[in-house]
Amino acid sequence: MKKQARSYLLMTLPALVLFFVFHTYPVLQGIFYSFTNWRGYGEWDFIGLRNYIHVFADDRALSAYLFTFKFAIVSTILVNIFSLLIALGLNANVKFKKTLRAIYFMPNILSILIVGFIFNFIFAQFIPQIAQELGIISLTKNILGNPELAWVGIVIVAVWQAVAFNTILYLAGLQTIPLEIYEASSLDGANRWRQFWSITFPMIAAFFTINMVLAMKNFLMVFDQIMAMTGGGPGRATESIALLIYRGGFEGGQFAYQSANAVIYFLVIVAISIFQIRILSKREVEI
């Protein structure tokens, strides 16, 4: 028993130390500095909750929160619709099913920054040239340069890349459904639409909950796509909370202030995730 305990400690302690040094300690340090006026360098003093109060009165932070919520809600809905449809297709009895699964998963393994740069070229050069040849005037200009439409381009890229992972989760759920249930429902006269709403969706409800929570959490933390495609522009039209925290904390001398913003942001994400889990879990029971 002593040898087993020693082996257990030798395996777990290094991981715990690394986790504490590179994760827990920086988090605690950020929370500590959120109660100060530290700019990331020089001296600092305790100022209590002043940073937190200023965040709620900051128009730039409010605008970033509104954009982030709009982006996350739209992207979460779209990615779950598309990934579920693709998963249903890939779960059907079609040729080259395994090959198609590998192809649809490829976007998930690509670098987000590289994907962002590629789509930046597509929106800036490829689509306008084709639109000009076809006479589609509305698409002859780069939508990433339009303050009202730039967020749409980011949604397209984010959804396109996120669909791959969510599709895999839905596929895992679909493969847990016994085929005998569909056969029995067919004998009872149920069509495809009735089978989906009465059998498929209720039996993958847990996977739907997981996908909704993970998708919302990931989209609320959007950073790479915006950095690669618009940099938060035009102006500040696509500036997310994560981008605002990064720029203000590491480039704007607002380390303590943005640390407070990060703490608030963390609590918001946790609250939204808990709310989603409770609502969707309750929905699972009702289904």
Side-chain angles (χ1 to χ4, degrees):
M1 293 295 293
K2 289 183 179 180
K3 291 182 178 180
Q4 291 180 353
R6 186 180 302 173
S7 300
Y8 175 78
L9 291 175
L10 289 175
M11 289 187 291
T12 57
L13 281 179
L16 288 174
V17 171
L18 290 173
F19 184 81
F20 178 81
V21 171
F22 293 104
H23 181 272
T24 307
Y25 177 72
V27 170
L28 296 176
Q29 192 177 33
I31 295 174
F32 171 80
Y33 280 121
S34 69
F35 296 100
T36 70
N37 61 355
W38 194 44
R39 294 172 294 177
Y41 55 88
E43 299 179 351
W44 52 267
D45 297 309
F46 281 105
I47 59 174
L49 298 174
R50 192 181 305 171
N51 286 328
Y52 291 89
I53 296 173
H54 288 170
V55 169
F56 290 102
D58 189 347
D59 292 336
R60 183 177 179 182
L62 178 61
S63 176
Y65 271 97
L66 292 175
F67 165 77
T68 304
F69 289 149
K70 178 178 69 173
F71 169 85
I73 292 171
V74 173
S75 299
T76 299
I77 294 172
L78 291 178
V79 77
N80 278 278
I81 292 174
F82 290 135
S83 58
L84 181 56
L85 292 174
I86 294 173
L88 289 171
L90 295 176
N91 193 57
N93 188 18
V94 296
K95 293 182 178 180
F96 309 110
K97 182 164 56 177
K98 293 183 179 180
T99 303
L100 290 173
R101 290 178 181 178
I103 293 173
Y104 277 107
F105 189 71
M106 284 182 63
N108 191 65
I109 65 177
L110 298 176
S111 169
I112 297 178
L113 288 176
I114 293 176
V115 170
F117 292 142
I118 292 173
F119 273 90
N120 198 356
F121 171 79
I122 291 174
F123 288 129
Q125 302 291 333
F126 186 70
I127 293 178
Q129 288 178 2
I130 294 179
Q132 190 171 5
E133 293 292 335
L134 297 176
I136 306 175
I137 301 176
S138 59
L139 296 178
T140 55
K141 294 183 179 180
N142 183 6
I143 63 173
L144 299 179
N146 188 332
E148 297 181 357
L149 297 177
W151 73 280
V152 176
I154 300 174
V155 167
I156 293 173
V157 176
V159 170
W160 176 80
Q161 192 163 32
V163 160
F165 178 74
N166 290 62
T167 299
I168 294 298
L169 293 181
Y170 278 126
L171 270 174
L174 291 172
Q175 291 177 359
T176 62
I177 304 175
L179 295 177
E180 292 79 7
I181 299 179
Y182 291 110
E183 294 174 358
S185 64
S186 297
L187 294 175
D188 291 337
N191 56 26
R192 295 287 185 180
W193 187 251
R194 174 53 60 187
Q195 287 179 346
F196 174 79
W197 286 112
S198 300
I199 299 174
T200 305
F201 191 74
M203 296 195 73
I204 63 169
F207 293 87
F208 177 75
T209 299
I210 294 172
N211 272 335
M212 288 292 291
V213 174
L214 290 179
M216 179 63 77
K217 187 264 297 181
N218 291 332
F219 288 132
L220 284 173
M221 297 189 298
V222 60
F223 176 84
D224 293 343
Q225 291 93 342
I226 295 176
M227 181 62 75
M229 298 178 67
T230 64
R236 296 174 183 170
T238 59
E239 186 176 57
S240 66
I241 294 298
L243 183 61
L244 174 61
I245 292 172
Y246 166 76
R247 283 185 169 170
F250 294 99
E251 298 178 0
Q254 301 177 339
F255 189 91
Y257 175 70
Q258 295 302 337
S259 293
N261 195 4
V263 172
I264 295 173
Y265 190 39
F266 169 76
L267 295 176
V268 168
I269 293 176
V270 171
I272 292 175
S273 299
I274 293 175
F275 175 78
Q276 281 184 289
I277 292 173
R278 288 189 175 182
I279 295 298
L280 294 175
S281 297
K282 184 178 179 181
R283 180 63 177 169
E284 289 178 27
V285 176
E286 293 177 355
I287 291 178

